[in-house]
Amino acid sequence: MARLVLKFGGTSVANLDRIRNVARHVKREVDAGHQVAVVVSAMAGQTNMLVDLCRQAAPLHDAREYDAVVASGEQVTSGLLAIVLQEMGVNARSWQGWQIPMRTDGAHGAARIGEIDGERLIERISQGQVAVIAGFQGVAPDNRISTLGRGGSDTSAVAIAAAIKADRCDIYTDVDGVYTTDPRIVPTARRLDRVAFEEMLEMASLGAKVLQVRSVEMAMVHGVRTFVRSSFDDPDAPQTGIGNLPPGTLICDEDEIVEQQVVTGIAFAKDEAQISIRNVADKPGVAHAVFGPLAEANINVDMIVQNISPDGKTTDITFTVPETEYDRAMKVLEERRESVGFGAIEGARNVVKVSVIGIGMRSHAGIAAQCFRGLAEKGINIRAITTSEIKISVLIDSAYTELAVRTLHSLYGLDG
Ligand code: ADP
Ligand code: ASP
Ligand code: MG
């Protein structure tokens, strides 16, 4: 007997037929004797629709009321799944964030989960009742509903798994695992059997939206074994809750991975924009004068390139900010043109960050050089570069996204 958390994403609960299919997956685990907590997302498209309604109501709206609106999608699916399970003879009860309670901080719209007391849930599920939990939502210190940021049901699921000390957290989605890159962009992408927490964290933060970044952080911190699989697999195919698993990807400790590849995957993200400041004085304190005000305005700067000054007097600084903060960043900088002292300021939104990820890079040289050569051969210009121990990221024109991802995917031998 095991204790399992099963999470179903938006496509998996998109309509009643799909919810019935999900219920069969749940019933299979219950019939096998496991204790089960389920976390559901809103039906596909619902959250977008609700976000849009808030924007139409008022472009600058109260974050608390935004949360009250967008959290409703998950309330619907948790209730519906409980009804369908009961109809199938499975003892089930829905839970909203406040009923658990799933306590978060007060950052409405992007709240972080704090401590969760799993006792009430453990009591119910150990009596054989399936807990059907609304993902994505919690309760803020002001006792109002909070939401966890887009894709947040993954994080709800992992947090619940940690709180109830589950043996595993199964993330059911519309692909049968984590692939070497987004299988919708590169048809030759291969499913990975196992991915280390650290690699998955990089892949998620660099654009692989199959798991929300915070869910991977939380899985890593609490050591939650997380298994990504498809909800479209036959729910009645023979399998056991632990061990003998269907196709999917296990996110686990590095030590559990036997065959280590140098490069595990390629990710890409279109959510950054580039800003270049020309002819900045080349003297101490300039970087602080540029980046200080951005930090004060709460704007995250990611990639930074500072050129060597040809004349010893002025230089150019290029960096990236989140796309959503681009206008604000430009404004902050324009206001300081005089005091910082720079010439032109240029920006580009049509850029993409393509990243090569793998823990094997720690012990292999030449991976970056290979990447730069591969892109050069295709005539793709690199605008900025950042590296860490286990990743290389390059910023390029977004028109070349697919070409760059496909080129790097085959270059590192990832094609299936
Ligand atoms: P859900 O609604 O179940 O949470 P998401 O749409 O959030 O599903 O995440 C699944 C999607 O993530 C897939 O349909 C796929 O297009 C995308 N994706 C991006 N990168 C990867 C990757 N490396 N492996 C698998 N899927 C990926
Ligand atoms: N429904 C929420 C969203 O679309 C949360 C989730 O699906 O994980 O962002
Ligand atoms: Mg998701």
Side-chain angles (χ1 to χ4, degrees), residues 91 128 150 167 182 215 244 256 267 296 369 371 387 412:
N91 181 7
R150 298 307 305 272
D167 295 285
D182 190 339
S215 72
N244 183 18
E256 290 186 62
E296 272 163 38
C371 163
T387 62
Y412 294 109

Side-chain angles (χ1 to χ4, degrees), residues 167-217:
D167 295 285
R168 211 181 54 234
C169 180
D170 289 345
I171 306 281
Y172 286 77
T173 182
D174 57 4
V175 274
D176 62 356
V178 177
Y179 278 67
T180 46
T181 192
D182 190 339
R184 296 190 201 288
I185 298 289
V186 181
T188 52
R190 264 189 302 120
R191 193 184 60 238
L192 296 157
D193 287 337
R194 289 177 180 225
V195 181
F197 286 124
E198 219 180 312
E199 279 172 329
M200 194 61 232
L201 191 59
E202 289 285 9
M203 285 181 66
S205 17
L206 296 169
K209 70 158 193 167
V210 58
L211 288 175
Q212 199 200 31
V213 180
R214 284 186 194 165
S215 72
V216 188
E217 257 167 30

Side-chain angles (χ1 to χ4, degrees), residues 46 58 63 73 81-82 94 99 121-122 132 134 143 154 179 182 188 249 265 281 285-286 295 297 317 356-357 372 388:
Q46 280 301 306
L81 179 58
S94 70
Q99 289 168 310
L121 279 178
I122 292 177
V132 186
N143 272 338
D154 297 327
Y179 278 67
D182 190 339
T188 52
T249 303
V286 162
I317 302 179
V356 177
I357 298 138
F372 305 149
S388 77

